[in-house]
Amino acid sequence: ALPISVNPALARMLGYDSPQELMSSRTDIERQQYVEPERRSDFKRLLEEHSIVQGFEYQAYRKDGSKIWLSDNGRLVRDESGVVLYYEGFTKDITERKRAEEALKKEKEILKKIFDNVPVLIGFVGEDGRVKLVNPEWERTMGWTLKELQEQDVDIFAEAYPDLSYRQDVLDFVAASTGEWVDLKIKVRDGRVIDAACAVVHLSDMTKVAIAQDITERKRAEEILQTFSQRLIEAQEAERRRVARELH
């Protein structure tokens, strides 16, 4: 079906100088206007089923071949006997909204990829002190899954910081959420105690985001190096005293 009337706004939206140019140029609406021709059939089917359709979205070609997103609101007009006479409605250009939605979708995808694959522990803690969300690295390192924490009502702070005084220090650190990095000792599910560099920040709804990196191996290396350095200093001091005794 060809349009029997369009207004100047729709003509401009599709890149034409006038309604007359649009109507004379587009002799096959389904293929000339719809990027996905079957969407035209979808729109007509919905109109026939419901008589009114609102917010029907599709991509359309402009005169120069570029694509825009449109949203149609339409209704089906029948005569007294129920025979379809024509469709009428209005069209809105929603290209900018769709671009914003696509950008947001892309941003969410990037953040999820980082969240799922970054080699640091990330946990979201609600105002009630319960963990709301953790990433795979958190689960691998700590030994609990998010499902276990929630279904078994695990008090992760009690598990990870069994010493009451130390636990309170950690809870105060989380509550302050200053973004400052500190080193903490954390007990994981299998009983090991790991060293971790941790920082906590908060979101606008006061959800705390705890970020931590397992630095146990680095700490062990530092301790070995410190022990070696201390022994070297002690050996040098002993040698200095021995030489001093021989000179006297």
Side-chain angles (χ1 to χ4, degrees), residues 167-216:
R167 186 194 314 163
Q168 189 58 54
D169 290 340
V170 172
L171 290 172
D172 292 342
F173 168 67
V174 172
S177 58
T178 62
E180 178 184 1
W181 286 88
V182 300
D183 290 352
L184 297 177
K185 289 191 176 294
I186 304 173
K187 182 182 177 183
V188 298
R189 190 173 189 175
D190 63 11
R192 291 178 299 114
V193 176
I194 66 171
D195 291 291
C198 306
V200 182
V201 295
H202 63 80
L203 304 180
S204 58
D205 64 355
M206 299 311 295
T207 295
K208 307 297 190 300
V209 183
I211 306 166
Q213 185 173 24
D214 186 348
I215 58 171
T216 305

Side-chain angles (χ1 to χ4, degrees), residues 87-124:
Y87 308 118
E88 68 176 12
F90 63 89
T91 299
K92 182 180 180 181
D93 183 348
I94 59 170
T95 305
E96 289 306 312
R97 194 199 81 196
K98 296 295 280 189
R99 285 174 180 168
E101 289 175 354
E102 188 60 33
L104 181 59
K105 179 181 176 182
K106 186 69 174 179
E107 183 178 309
K108 287 182 176 179
E109 180 184 358
I110 291 171
L111 291 175
K112 188 176 188 308
K113 289 290 185 183
I114 294 172
F115 185 77
D116 288 346
N117 296 284
V118 67
V120 298
L121 291 70
I122 303 175
F124 290 73

Side-chain angles (χ1 to χ4, degrees), residues 231-246:
R231 289 178 178 175
L232 180 60
I233 292 171
E234 291 172 354
Q236 290 174 334
E237 181 62 21
E239 179 65 15
R240 185 188 65 78
R241 289 197 297 268
R242 185 189 67 79
V243 171
R245 286 197 301 270
E246 290 179 353

Side-chain angles (χ1 to χ4, degrees), residues 24 43-44 52 55 63 68 86 90 101 110 117 130 134 182 188 191 218 222 242 246:
S24 63
F43 184 58
K44 291 170 65 177
I52 296 176
K63 178 182 178 180
I68 60 173
Y86 55 87
F90 63 89
E101 289 175 354
I110 291 171
N117 296 284
R130 297 294 180 179
V134 297
V182 300
V188 298
R218 193 195 80 190
E222 289 175 352
R242 185 189 67 79
E246 290 179 353

Side-chain angles (χ1 to χ4, degrees), residues 64-83:
D64 61 6
S66 62
K67 301 174 184 177
I68 60 173
W69 278 95
L70 300 178
S71 175
D72 281 357
N73 287 349
R75 75 183 187 97
L76 190 151
V77 179
R78 303 175 186 269
D79 64 15
E80 294 180 354
S81 61
V83 176

